Amino acid sequence: MYDQILFPTDGSDGTARAAEHAVGLARANGATLHVLHVLDTSTLTLDSHSKELMDAMESAGRGSVAAVCNRAIDAGVHAVDVVREGTPHREILDYADEADVDLIVLGTHGRTGLSRRVLGSVTERVVRLSDAPV
């Protein structure tokens, strides 16, 4: 049913739990699992510390992607690792289109009420704007 599954991760506990589902779905369907981390550059200002911060963010992102890819490989799932820069929901949606994914599996932080409305939610935006099921 699914050939290409996208799993965006930010390395948080919410995405760690969702990774189990993504790997299981990919395994059950014989699908390729695309593991994506987006370095959120939408809020960074350019100053002398930006390069240092970006390097640290990239290292953490690559680590979270590698952890999920290793879990997938251990389960016999073909995994593709991707790290991008930009606005998270936009990069997720763009990658989903480019890779022609059939399903997007996302974790959530579980924010509710005012904090979700004020801060917004990457998951909520992807759910609303995606052409693929989420």
Side-chain angles (χ1 to χ4, degrees):
M1 179 171 194
Y2 301 117
D3 294 320
Q4 306 294 325
I5 297 174
L6 174 58
F7 178 66
T9 180
D10 63 3
S12 69
D13 289 340
T15 59
R17 289 188 300 271
E20 294 176 38
H21 296 289
V23 170
L25 284 166
R27 184 172 184 210
N29 287 277
T32 296
L33 183 63
H34 299 257
V35 184
L36 169 68
H37 178 81
V38 179
L39 301 170
D40 187 356
T41 57
S42 64
T43 58
L44 283 181
T45 58
L46 295 177
D47 60 22
S48 60
H49 301 290
S50 294
K51 173 74 170 124
E52 224 173 89
L53 181 59
M54 282 298 294
D55 289 347
M57 288 170 47
E58 183 173 359
S59 179
R62 289 196 184 282
S64 64
V65 166
V68 176
C69 284
N70 288 338
R71 178 184 279 179
I73 291 165
D74 289 346
V77 171
H78 179 255
V80 176
D81 61 324
V82 183
V83 176
R84 289 188 163 191
E85 294 180 15
T87 303
H89 78 278
R90 179 55 39 215
E91 291 299 323
I92 292 167
L93 294 167
D94 288 349
Y95 184 84
D97 288 342
E98 292 166 21
D100 197 26
V101 301
D102 305 301
L103 176 69
I104 301 172
V105 179
L106 280 167
T108 181
H109 294 293
R111 288 188 185 116
T112 59
L114 183 60
S115 67
R116 188 181 80 204
R117 287 188 199 104
V118 171
L119 297 174
S121 165
V122 172
T123 300
E124 183 179 353
R125 288 178 184 156
V126 171
V127 167
R128 278 190 289 114
L129 300 172
S130 176
D131 292 331
V134 180

